């Protein structure tokens, strides 16, 4: 058979030039290339918690769009799923979604907030939110630090070869639990506020100060209970709780561990130009200097 005709020669320089011009056009002012990261419904409320805590809520137009986004993903039963396309509600994201709406200025009487709160109370209460939900609420003073499994910063002082050293975790896991360890170790919590007091009354109709917090550490609502904890995990959690009670952790060892965590957090921020490896640890890493103070 006859050989196919050779395609005409192509001058690649103009093509490459157009590609580079397009990249430059899409680059944000801070130097990064932003893109949409929608879907996981815990990302936006964690950002809202940070923005509210630092007194830097977005402009009203963006706040309105955020509220509209929540309305677009709210399920017919009033809940919010773990993902925007989820077919079932999640206590984790429903609780954080409710808190975010209220922090964005949505009143309790708003039908969207009302339906969310009704679902939360009918499906186990805020005490059953998955661990990242409880942790985020701790930062806002909407859940007590005694109610989560200890996140010991001292683990970061172990030899790197130790099997339980957090640095051996998958990259996203270790970079999330790093700032969590610092925030837990300092019991970082925003100052009290009338809105937070109102939210405690809304989320805990039985009374916030009547909760037996330590009994809630491993409580998970049925909606979030994808994989029940094993006996081994329960044993490890009990061990960590025992270690947390040791007097040595209130002194020099805890301070050394917090400094080690802080050094690693600063390294992550510097190595990535404050972008960080993902949106969850970016929010948590920013909470750390906020709680350290203006300096």
């Amino acid at each position: 058979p006859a050989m196919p005709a050779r395609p005409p020669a192509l001058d690649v320089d103009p093509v490459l030039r157009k590609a580079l011009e397009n990249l430059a056009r899409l680059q944000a002012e801070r130097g990064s290339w932003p893109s949409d990261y929608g879907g996981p419904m815990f990302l936006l409320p964690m950002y809202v918690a940070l923005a509210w805590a630092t007194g830097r809520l977005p402009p009203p137009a963006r706040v309105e769009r955020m509220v509209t986004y929540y309305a677009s993903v709210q399920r017919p039963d009033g809940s919010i799923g773990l993902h925007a396309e989820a077919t079932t509600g999640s206590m984790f994201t429903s609780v954080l979604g409710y808190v975010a709406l209220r922090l964005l200025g949505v009143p309790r009487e708003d039908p969207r907030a009302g339906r969310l709160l009704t679902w939360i109370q009918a499906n186990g209460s805020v005490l059953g939110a998955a661990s990242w939900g409880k942790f985020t609420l701790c930062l806002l003073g909407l859940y007590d630090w005694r109610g989560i499994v200890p996140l010991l910063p001292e683990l970061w002082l172990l030899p790197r070869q130790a099997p339980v050293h957090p640095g051996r975790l998958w990259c996203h896991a270790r970079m999330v639990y790093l700032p969590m360890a610092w925030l837990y170790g300092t019991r970082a919590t925003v100052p009290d506020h009338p809105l937070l007091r109102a939210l405690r009354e809304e989320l805990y109709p039985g009374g916030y100060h009547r909760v037996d917090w330590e009994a809630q550490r491993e409580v998970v609502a049925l909606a979030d209970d994808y994989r029940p904890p094993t006996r081994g995990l329960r044993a490890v959690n009990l061990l960590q709780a025992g270690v947390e009670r040791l007097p040595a952790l209130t002194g020099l060892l805890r301070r050394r561990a917090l400094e080690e965590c802080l050094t690693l957090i600063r390294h992550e921020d510097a190595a990535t130009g404050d972008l960080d490896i993902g949106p969850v640890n970016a929010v948590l890493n920013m909470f750390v200097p906020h709680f350290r103070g203006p300096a």
Side-chain angles (χ1 to χ4, degrees):
M3 294 291 292
R6 176 175 295 181
L10 178 64
D11 184 358
V12 298
D13 286 344
V15 177
L16 292 176
R17 194 175 302 112
K18 287 183 179 180
L20 292 173
E21 289 172 355
N22 187 52
L23 275 177
R25 180 180 61 84
L26 297 173
Q27 188 176 19
E29 184 177 348
R30 67 181 295 184
S32 62
W33 277 267
S35 64
D36 178 50
Y37 193 4
M41 293 308 300
F42 51 86
L43 300 178
L44 183 57
M46 292 183 74
Y47 165 75
V48 171
L50 172 67
W52 188 89
T54 57
R56 298 186 180 190
L57 282 176
R62 176 165 288 189
V63 168
E64 183 180 355
R65 295 294 298 274
M66 289 179 174
V67 174
T68 300
Y69 177 64
Y70 274 115
S72 73
V73 299
Q74 191 170 16
R75 302 186 64 257
D77 61 5
S79 67
I80 292 177
L82 187 62
H83 189 275
E85 298 175 351
T87 57
T88 58
S90 163
M91 186 63 67
F92 168 27
T93 47
S94 293
V95 168
L96 289 190
Y98 179 82
V99 170
L101 285 174
R102 297 285 281 114
L103 295 180
L104 291 171
V106 176
R108 177 181 181 177
E109 297 74 23
D110 186 284
R112 295 164 295 191
R115 291 169 56 228
L116 254 175
L117 190 58
T118 298
W119 186 91
I120 290 168
Q121 294 172 349
N123 287 272
S125 88
V126 61
L127 298 172
S131 60
W132 284 14
K134 292 180 178 181
F135 188 93
T136 305
L137 295 178
C138 284
L139 298 173
L140 295 170
L142 300 176
Y143 193 90
D144 195 285
W145 286 108
R146 293 171 295 169
I148 66 172
V149 174
L151 293 160
L152 302 176
E154 288 74 20
L155 292 176
W156 290 91
L157 294 177
L158 293 172
R160 183 65 175 80
Q161 296 77 15
V164 294
H165 192 291
R168 299 173 67 90
L169 294 170
W170 176 55
C171 58
H172 284 280
R174 68 173 178 262
M175 299 317 296
V176 166
Y177 285 107
L178 172 62
M180 279 187 171
W182 190 95
L183 294 164
Y184 172 83
T186 59
R187 304 299 194 273
T189 307
V190 301
D192 203 9
H193 187 277
L195 177 55
L196 299 179
R197 290 195 290 272
L199 276 167
R200 289 191 205 106
E201 292 180 3
E202 296 162 23
L203 294 171
Y204 302 91
Y208 179 83
H209 297 290
R210 297 176 183 170
V211 176
D212 180 357
W213 292 106
E214 291 191 7
Q216 313 307 318
R217 286 179 174 173
E218 297 189 41
V219 173
V220 182
L222 184 62
D224 290 1
D225 195 13
Y226 291 102
R227 188 184 180 108
T230 63
R231 289 182 180 179
L233 179 58
R234 290 184 185 277
V236 169
N237 290 345
L238 284 173
L239 177 62
Q240 292 186 100
V243 171
E244 178 66 14
R245 294 190 183 96
L246 295 176
L249 296 192
T250 62
L252 179 61
L253 187 61
R254 175 56 54 96
R255 290 195 294 273
R256 281 186 56 205
L258 293 175
E259 282 300 317
E260 177 67 13
C261 290
L262 186 58
T263 297
L264 296 172
I265 290 167
R266 285 170 165 166
H267 178 77
E268 160 78 353
D269 289 340
T272 63
D274 293 310
L275 290 174
D276 299 324
I277 198 172
V280 174
N281 86 306
V283 164
L284 297 174
N285 277 24
M286 190 59 69
F287 262 117
V288 171
H290 169 68
F291 282 117
R292 292 188 69 230

